[in-house]
Amino acid sequence: MEKLIITLAPTGNVPTYELNPHSALKLDQIVEDVKKCKAAGASVVHLHVRDEGLLPTSSREEYKKLLEKLEDVDMIKQVSTGARGGENTIEWRGQMLDLEADMASLSTGSSNFPTSVNANEPKLIKGLAKKMLDNGLKPEIEVFDVSMINNAVYLMKKGYIKGPLHFNMVMNVPGSIKGTAKNLMFMVDSIPDGSTWSVSGIGNSQIKMITLAILLGGHVRTGLEDVLMYDNETYATNEMLVKRVVRIATELGREIATVEEARKILSLE
Ligand code: MG
C-alpha cells in the first residue's frame, strides 16, 4: 500500500480559545504547531487565517504573512478558499491564490454547516478553479456530500481542473454527509480511477474515519479544524492528533510519507 500522507488542518474557522484553549489562531501559534506536527509526521498543511479580532478571513495580507513565516518549513502548503471567511465572491475567496502555495481547497458543491450555508454556486466554483489552474495550484476537492464528486468530474471534463484529482472526504459535518463506514466506502468507490483521497473525520467520527482511511489505502487529515476534543474530557492539541494518526497507522502496518513522497503521490512538481 502507498505510504500515508498526513495533512494537518491546525486552525479552521470554528475553533476559539473558549472551545479549546490550545486553538492555533494567531500566526505564531499556527507556525509553532505546524513545525511540531511536521516533526511528528505531517507532510501537508491546510491553512486558514484569522483577522485582528481572531475571526475567520480570506485576507490575502494575512495569508501572505503566514506563508512567509512558513517559508523555511518544507511542507506542502494548501490555502483554504472556504465559504466562512467573509464575502462569498470569487474575488474575496480567491484573493490568496496568487501566493506561494502548492494547493488550495475547492468545494465543488453546496451543503450546510451547523449554523450557515456552505454556499458554492457553479459560477464561483468555476472561477476559483480557473484561478487555481492559472496559478499552478492543485485543488484539494472538499467533498461534503456525494454530488460534489460528480461535479468535480464534470469540471475536469470541461477543463477547469486537471487530473489526477485529489479529494478530501469531509465526513460528519452536521448538515452534510454522516461519517459512517458505508458512506465513506460509497464515496471512495465513486471517484475516478487514478485519483487520490483523504478523509476528515469531524468531531466524534475522527478515530473511526482515520482508521478506515488508513486501512482502505486513503490518506488522513487531522487537526483542530476537524476535532476539538481528544476524548470525552481532554482538549486536543494539533500535535496530539497527528501523533495519534501515526500510532494507529504504525499499528496497522502503514508507513508515513515524507514530504517528498507526498509530493510524488499527489503528482505535485
Ligand atoms: Mg478548511
Side-chain angles (χ1 to χ4, degrees), residues 9 12-13 46-48 80 105 221 225:
N13 292 315
H46 168 82
L47 299 165
H48 281 257
S80 171
S105 64
R221 186 178 104 170
E225 171 164 353

Side-chain angles (χ1 to χ4, degrees), residues 47-247:
L47 299 165
H48 281 257
V49 289
R50 299 296 176 96
D51 64 14
E52 282 167 3
L54 300 180
L55 295 172
T57 179
S58 300
S59 164
R60 181 180 185 280
E61 219 25 62
E62 293 304 314
Y63 272 108
K64 188 164 184 278
K65 282 188 230 165
L66 180 55
L67 287 165
E68 278 169 9
K69 282 176 185 281
L70 289 171
E71 210 174 342
D72 58 353
V73 182
D74 178 29
M75 284 178 91
I76 297 165
K77 289 154 198 167
Q78 182 187 107
V79 291
S80 171
T81 66
R84 285 179 288 190
E87 282 171 46
N88 204 13
T89 61
I90 299 165
E91 293 70 28
W92 181 259
R93 284 177 53 181
Q95 62 183 291
M96 77 304 281
L97 293 173
D98 65 333
L99 296 172
E100 287 295 311
D102 306 280
M103 301 178 78
S105 64
L106 179 69
S107 291
T108 50
S110 300
S111 61
N112 276 350
F113 292 127
T115 58
S116 61
V117 184
N118 181 15
N120 304 291
E121 61 168 328
K123 195 174 81 180
L124 178 125
I125 299 168
K126 286 177 183 165
L128 291 174
K130 171 95 175 35
K131 232 173 155 173
M132 291 175 199
L133 197 62
D134 291 346
N135 286 291
L137 299 188
K138 177 163 178 156
E140 173 175 281
I141 298 153
E142 305 298 332
V143 180
F144 292 78
D145 222 321
V146 185
S147 59
M148 298 185 191
I149 295 173
N150 292 336
N151 198 34
V153 173
Y154 167 81
L155 291 168
M156 182 168 69
K157 279 188 189 142
K158 292 287 175 188
Y160 288 95
I161 46 181
K162 273 198 293 194
L165 302 181
H166 178 66
F167 294 90
N168 183 44
M169 314 303 187
V170 187
M171 309 300 289
N172 222 40
V173 171
S176 301
I177 199 164
K178 199 170 160 60
T180 65
K182 208 170 173 180
N183 283 343
L184 182 64
M185 298 289 278
F186 180 68
M187 287 162 94
V188 172
D189 278 347
S190 304
I191 62 176
D193 288 344
S195 307
T196 48
W197 62 277
S198 63
V199 70
S200 285
I202 305 299
N204 60 17
S205 77
Q206 166 87 181
I207 297 176
K208 186 167 64 181
M209 290 295 113
I210 60 182
T211 305
L212 277 167
I214 293 165
L215 289 170
L216 293 170
H219 302 281
V220 165
R221 186 178 104 170
T222 193
L224 296 178
E225 171 164 353
D226 295 345
V227 57
L228 289 160
M229 300 302 291
Y230 191 76
D231 52 35
N232 287 336
E233 53 209 35
T234 318
Y235 290 117
T237 68
N238 282 308
E239 190 183 19
M240 284 162 74
L241 293 170
V242 171
K243 285 184 167 173
R244 180 164 67 187
V245 174
V246 173
R247 278 201 308 278

